Amino acid sequence: MARDTDVLVLGGGSTGAGVARDLARRGVDVTLVEQGNLTHGTTGRMHGLLHSGGRYAVSDQASASECIEENRVLREIASHCVEETGGLFVKRPEDDESYFQEKLAGCRECNIPTEVLTGREAREVEPYLARDVEKAIAVPDGAVDPFRLVVANAVDAENHGARIETHAEVVDVLVEGGTDSPASTADGGSDEDRGDVVGVAVEHRAGTGNRVHGVPGEREEITAEYVVNATGAWAGQVGAMAGVDVEVRPSKGVMTVMNVRQVDTVVNRCRPKGDADILVPHETTAILGTTDEEVADPAEYPEEGWEVDLVIDELAELVPILSEARTIRSFWGVRPLYEPPEVGSTDPTDITRDYFLLDHEERDGLRGMSSIVGGKFTTYRMMAEEISDHVCDQLGVRASCSTADEALPGSEHPARLDAAMDDYGLKSPIARRSGQRLGSRAEDVLSVDGPNPVVCDCEAVTRAEVSDAIAQSGSDLNAVRIRTRASMGNCQGGLCCHRLANVLGATYPEDTTRAAWDELLDERWKGHRHALWGEQLSQAALNAFLHATTMNRDHDPAGRHPTGADGSAPGDDATGSAPPPVDVDFAAFDDGTVGDGGRSGDDGRRASDDGGA
């Protein structure tokens, strides 16, 4: 029976996109489905560390060796996504000297380059380190942009014929055949015959974005010769749809984003496992992490203020200036941890960070599907290569992997970054940031006729970059955000979301543009609400004031000029959910006799001297 595609990849994070790219480059027909945007899950909620392996050099040397190997690969194939910051494991007076030596020896055993620095030498590298830091181990950690990297993998997969379908949630796994009686196996695997996985059913979700293949609300069955479950923390739920157990143990962790880079080097605390022990410079910010707490559901879990307080307080012991610094948002991610059920770890910090390929035919008697679980972002390409090799064996495909040698789109010509400074008629800092984001695509994107103004001041994103992202992702402004970093700076979109909507409005109708604008503001608020103190509270108040007074986003009746016979105004919600139309005394604004918007019945009271109404 003919199938819709050879291989169906479930999950649009780093591993899923990596598998789609690998298989597509081997000539396999691939379709990838993702329930949200690319990077919707764990990949889009990480601290951006490109591991040297140093963090695992004592506790998990197999993972450490994989990390340093892939660290070197990604610096070559994804240079426009990686910043070579270097890393430090720093020791405070109360930290164990024997563990410091154990860390140093472990790094050397895993072939991780190291250098021991005195406290003074470490402060020469990072001046804001605490004065009592005694010494440090320098390692080749780096910072990586997960959004840019995953999009580049997806683009390369599409360039080689893959179908990438976002906003398509898997609602069922299609299984044919299977018997209740045992079926013998020669390899010692499962003695059950659970049938053949032949595809999945997806529901195309409503929202903005490209809708090339599916219509929002539509259910589609996609059949395939083979299915790869690369859904990370959701792998257990997908496995259950197919009738098999995938024992993923989701573990949440908080990341807190600072307004500037307090450090330019990754700073780790050199101590055994613990919370709040890493600070990663990332683009224009620094990201503090993290905690490690097991949760039952990767989509529903508490986001608690004490976690934010913990990472700031603990890391301020390493970098004291953090205690006075401005926090712009916090977010939580869920690690897709996995260990064989017989291990039985009770503490999530004890669970290996290694990855596992689960062949469900061998393991469960279910043909046509495998799951890839565990692992880390740094090793995504290695994981994708292993499962792609396995899938090709199943399909009889003899092509070999090329992803370790072929640069991702944007990284083909790294020297192009150095020339970007003086090109395209942009001011030098803008050119540098644009060149870093776009890599070897910079010339194609930025060579436009006419003006190319900056749309997002915080992140130095130009209109040409925004237009290019819209061409890739359609009307989804959150997809534009992950491609450009627009709205991810200090103002958290307060000063640029409407500008992004304006660029979008040149291509899409008003209702689509307004819906995309609303979705972007909602997403920004989710993390912003965890940082409402000090200067960032003032920023949030400024955002609200500007949006209310210039765009009437608070739906104040004074902004609703009656134009129809029924008093309705342009843009009123036809469903009736908007405030009812009112008569407005606009002269009241001119003579200053009223204080609440000039509504009928206003008694003219103003705010009192002490700030009360």
Side-chain angles (χ1 to χ4, degrees), residues 415-433:
R416 191 77 194 97
L417 296 179
D418 297 330
M421 281 286 291
D422 300 317
D423 291 345
Y424 320 122
L426 297 173
K427 295 179 181 179
S428 293
I430 306 300
R432 182 182 295 279
R433 297 298 310 286

Side-chain angles (χ1 to χ4, degrees), residues 262-602:
Q262 284 80 13
V263 296
D264 290 317
T265 308
V266 176
V267 176
N268 307 264
R269 186 157 184 179
C270 191
R271 64 183 182 187
K273 63 182 183 179
D275 291 334
D277 61 356
I278 186 169
L279 174 59
V280 182
H282 186 72
E283 298 279 348
T284 58
T285 66
I287 300 179
L288 285 57
T290 180
T291 50
D292 200 343
E293 184 176 348
E294 198 160 352
V295 296
D297 188 331
E300 297 290 339
Y301 50 84
E303 298 178 346
E304 300 177 270
W306 67 263
E307 297 172 277
V308 177
D309 294 339
L310 175 68
V311 296
I312 295 173
D313 292 343
E314 288 285 315
L315 284 164
E317 295 183 3
L318 299 183
V319 183
I321 195 175
L322 292 174
S323 62
E324 303 173 2
R326 175 177 169 186
T327 301
I328 61 174
R329 69 186 291 110
S330 291
F331 60 91
W332 279 254
V334 178
R335 306 171 187 85
L337 301 182
Y338 177 88
E339 68 176 8
E342 63 272 14
V343 176
S345 297
T346 57
D347 185 340
T349 62
D350 292 329
I351 300 175
T352 178
R353 268 44 176 177
D354 203 357
Y355 65 88
F356 297 83
L357 170 57
L358 308 180
D359 180 343
H360 292 296
E361 179 177 5
E362 177 182 323
R363 180 177 180 265
D364 305 298
L366 177 69
R367 295 176 293 277
M369 186 172 89
S370 290
S371 296
I372 185 81
V373 291
K376 299 161 294 302
F377 179 86
T378 299
T379 59
Y380 89 92
R381 194 215 58 82
M382 178 184 285
M383 296 165 64
E385 179 178 353
E386 182 169 332
I387 198 164
S388 296
D389 286 345
H390 174 73
V391 171
C392 286
D393 287 343
Q394 300 294 309
L395 299 180
V397 175
R398 301 194 179 279
S400 59
C401 177
S402 62
T403 59
D405 303 310
E406 297 294 332
L408 286 162
S411 289
E412 302 96 329
H413 310 293
R416 191 77 194 97
L417 296 179
D418 297 330
M421 281 286 291
D422 300 317
D423 291 345
Y424 320 122
L426 297 173
K427 295 179 181 179
S428 293
I430 306 300
R432 182 182 295 279
R433 297 298 310 286
S434 298
Q436 288 170 336
R437 282 189 293 264
L438 296 167
S440 56
R441 297 181 60 242
E443 183 173 5
D444 292 337
V445 173
L446 299 176
S447 295
V448 295
D449 294 329
N452 183 23
V454 173
V455 174
C456 171
D457 296 304
C458 297
E459 295 294 327
V461 181
T462 67
R463 185 166 61 193
E465 283 187 77
V466 174
S467 298
D468 175 67
I470 290 170
Q472 292 182 37
S473 57
S475 61
D476 189 336
L477 287 179
N478 276 305
V480 171
R481 171 181 59 82
I482 69 172
R483 285 162 169 80
T484 64
R485 288 189 59 83
S487 79
M488 294 176 72
N490 283 353
C491 79
Q492 290 294 287
L495 303 179
C496 67
C497 283
H498 62 289
R499 298 178 186 173
L500 295 170
N502 182 55
V503 179
L504 184 67
T507 306
Y508 287 89
E510 180 181 347
D511 57 345
T512 301
T513 299
R514 287 187 177 276
W517 186 8
D518 288 344
E519 288 180 8
L520 178 61
L521 287 171
D522 287 345
E523 193 284 332
R524 293 289 78 198
W525 173 247
K526 284 193 299 184
H528 196 39
R529 64 193 175 92
H530 295 290
L532 297 182
W533 66 84
E535 291 181 332
Q536 200 59 25
L537 178 58
S538 299
Q539 179 70 64
L542 175 62
N543 290 354
F545 175 78
L546 290 175
H547 291 178
T549 57
T550 65
M551 292 167 268
N552 195 35
R553 295 201 66 88
D554 62 347
H555 300 294
D556 191 303
R560 293 155 44 82
H561 186 186
T563 58
D566 62 352
S568 63
D572 280 354
D573 190 341
T575 64
S577 61
V582 297
D583 291 327
V584 179
D585 179 8
F586 288 101
F589 293 101
D590 297 326
D591 62 22
T593 58
V594 296
D596 71 351
R599 290 181 288 274
S600 299
D602 189 343

